[in-house]
Amino acid sequence: SRGSDAVFWILQEFVSAGYSLYDKDSGALAAFRRIPISELKNHGILQALTAETNGLQSSVVSAEVLSAQEEWEVVDSIQPDTGSWTSSEQPGQLISFGEALQHFQTVDLSSFKKRIQPTIRRTGLAALRHCLFGPPKLHQGLREERDLVLTIAQCGLDRQDPMHGRVLQTIYKKLTGSKFDCSLLGDHWEDLGFQGANPATDLRGAGFLALLHLLYLVMDSKTLLMAQEIFRLSHHHIQQFPFCLMSVNITCIAIRALREECLSRECNRQQKVIPVVNSFYAATFLHLAHVWRTQQKTILDSGFVLKDLEVLAKKSPRRLLKTLDIYLARVSKGQASLWGAQKRSGSQGSRAKDLTFTGVCDLQPHPFKSTGLI
């Protein structure tokens, strides 16, 4: 019959491709089983073996082959329960900061832009003092870029938007080293330092800008090293802290610094806003990690640390940015250390040695609640 001829022709194809369909020890069936299911799928042999055309009955085919066919057919149709993308949208592909930013530059954000307040409104003596002694105003040509940053901070996480899903997946893969996608909801997000199974609930006050900042941190080859070391520090058995939640807080500091015009001088100097805000965020995170490690802070200190950090960041943004520049320069030379104070002469310590903690009492781990983190 035509069905038998088709099967015979397909088997010949496998023989010509180099597969042996006979094993002297266990026979033809065992040898046939060694053919990868993907090859069976590509050559259509599963369809041919299960066809009922011209008298070729499915009863002839073993239950094992039928089961394999069913399992393979399901592979292409499996979708995450959270429903953010389909297989045609390449969920495994990482997304760059530039690509994610371009998405926001091209979509309609008018409804979110209405919510922003670009600068702090001051009255009375506060307004006079700011006018006389405060930082310069942002150049007119940069205000649209500033408004875009503040508008993105008004946007939430939309799990139905494939771009949003790719940003989350990229952050997860870069921090954990995983090669596989993960669900957009689940306990694995707590491992990254979110408070619960849904990252969207921790973005209040910073919106999607918080995720863009994390994306910027992990997708730059220089700042990725910094991100990974801070991530390791956040999992220390004594000095642990919620990495992503801390990052959201730092994004909030960057937003307030931008609105209070603390970054205007640097933005005017560089004639850019987004790169300055990104660098300010990274520099502030770097300083926090240094203070956290060297001053042996724990999660109970987080509220005080963040408060002092914000005061310093607003008062001396250029100082923080200079520290970041020095760090990145050392990264390019392969000499980077988060902690700066470590001497490079003598033995060359590994990153594991950089993260060795001494002189810290054996404290019990503390929960992240009631510690000043938003």
Side-chain angles (χ1 to χ4, degrees):
S1 64
R2 287 189 300 173
S4 300
D5 293 340
V7 172
F8 179 76
W9 179 82
I10 292 170
L11 292 176
Q12 283 186 318
E13 286 289 307
F14 279 109
V15 172
S16 62
Y19 290 102
S20 173
L21 297 184
Y22 182 77
D23 187 283
K24 64 180 182 179
D25 296 323
S26 51
L29 181 59
F32 181 78
R33 287 175 178 171
R34 287 200 296 267
I35 299 176
I37 291 182
S38 59
E39 292 297 324
L40 298 178
K41 173 75 174 181
N42 293 338
H43 289 78
I45 194 167
L46 291 179
Q47 291 85 341
L49 289 176
T50 56
E52 296 184 5
T53 308
N54 292 332
L56 184 61
Q57 301 297 323
S58 60
S59 58
V60 176
V61 186
S62 71
E64 183 178 357
V65 174
L66 288 174
S67 176
Q69 182 195 21
E70 292 173 358
E71 291 177 6
W72 184 260
E73 293 294 343
V74 170
V75 169
D76 289 340
S77 60
I78 288 179
Q79 301 297 332
D81 293 338
T82 52
S84 64
W85 50 63
T86 62
S87 59
S88 62
E89 290 162 344
Q90 296 181 313
Q93 185 178 3
L94 301 180
I95 186 171
S96 67
F97 175 84
E99 185 180 352
L101 178 62
Q102 186 178 27
H103 172 83
F104 284 102
Q105 291 172 327
T106 55
V107 298
D108 182 15
L109 299 176
S110 56
S111 61
F112 298 103
K113 191 173 182 178
K114 295 176 182 178
R115 307 177 190 172
I116 70 171
Q117 185 179 344
T119 58
I120 298 294
R121 296 177 182 176
R122 298 177 175 87
T123 58
L125 290 176
L128 179 61
R129 183 171 59 252
H130 183 75
C131 181
L132 295 176
F133 307 108
K137 290 186 177 296
L138 188 68
H139 290 169
Q140 184 69 36
L142 299 175
R143 294 179 184 178
E144 183 177 350
E145 189 178 352
R146 173 202 61 191
D147 291 350
L148 174 61
V149 173
L150 298 176
T151 301
I152 295 174
Q154 293 293 322
C155 301
L157 174 62
D158 182 2
R159 291 188 291 108
Q160 302 303 318
D161 189 325
M163 187 280 295
H164 289 210
R166 287 179 63 198
V167 169
L168 273 178
Q169 295 286 359
T170 300
I171 294 170
Y172 179 83
K173 291 177 180 179
K174 283 291 188 176
L175 287 177
T176 64
S178 173
K179 301 297 183 183
F180 304 100
D181 286 349
C182 62
S183 172
L184 295 187
L185 296 176
D187 294 342
H188 49 278
W189 295 112
E190 296 182 35
D191 296 334
L192 262 63
F194 288 103
Q195 290 189 106
N198 184 5
T201 60
D202 288 334
L203 302 183
R204 53 190 179 278
F208 203 86
L209 183 63
L211 295 181
L212 280 188
H213 277 167
L214 279 170
L215 182 67
Y216 158 77
L217 205 63
V218 302
M219 287 302 287
D220 185 282
S221 59
K222 297 177 181 178
T223 54
L224 173 61
L225 173 64
M226 183 182 83
Q228 291 172 334
E229 290 194 332
I230 299 176
F231 185 61
R232 290 177 59 197
L233 172 62
S234 74
H235 283 77
H236 185 263
H237 68 286
I238 294 172
Q239 293 185 281
Q240 60 179 307
F241 61 86
F243 176 85
C244 286
L245 189 58
M246 192 71 80
S247 174
V248 172
N249 277 267
I250 295 174
T251 296
C252 288
I253 292 176
I255 292 171
R256 290 192 287 268
L258 181 63
R259 293 183 63 237
E260 295 174 24
E261 301 178 291
C262 301
L263 304 180
S264 295
R265 189 185 306 277
E266 190 63 26
C267 290
N268 291 342
R269 189 181 72 83
Q270 296 190 26
Q271 285 299 297
K272 298 174 182 177
V273 175
I274 293 176
V276 171
V277 174
N278 287 348
S279 296
F280 177 79
Y281 155 81
T284 306
F285 211 165
L286 177 65
H287 185 78
L288 178 139
H290 176 74
V291 169
W292 198 272
R293 188 264 178 180
T294 58
Q295 299 184 18
Q296 303 172 354
K297 300 299 183 180
T298 68
I299 191 64
L300 292 181
D301 302 311
S302 60
F304 302 103
V305 172
L306 286 169
K307 184 177 180 180
D308 293 343
L309 181 66
E310 182 167 359
V311 172
L312 173 65
K314 291 178 180 178
K315 182 179 179 180
S316 307
R318 182 58 189 156
R319 172 184 167 188
L320 292 182
L321 292 172
K322 184 65 176 178
T323 302
L324 178 67
D325 289 341
I326 294 173
Y327 169 79
L328 295 181
R330 295 181 66 183
V331 168
S332 64
K333 297 178 182 179
Q335 301 174 345
S337 167
L338 273 180
W339 322 124
Q342 300 210 355
K343 297 180 180 179
R344 287 289 170 177
S345 59
S347 61
Q348 294 291 327
S350 64
R351 281 191 296 170
K353 184 177 180 181
D354 288 346
L355 288 174
T356 299
F357 298 82
T358 58
V360 183
C361 298
D362 191 11
L363 303 176
Q364 295 296 321
H366 298 287
F368 300 145
K369 297 181 180 179
S370 304
T371 56
L373 294 175
I374 61 171

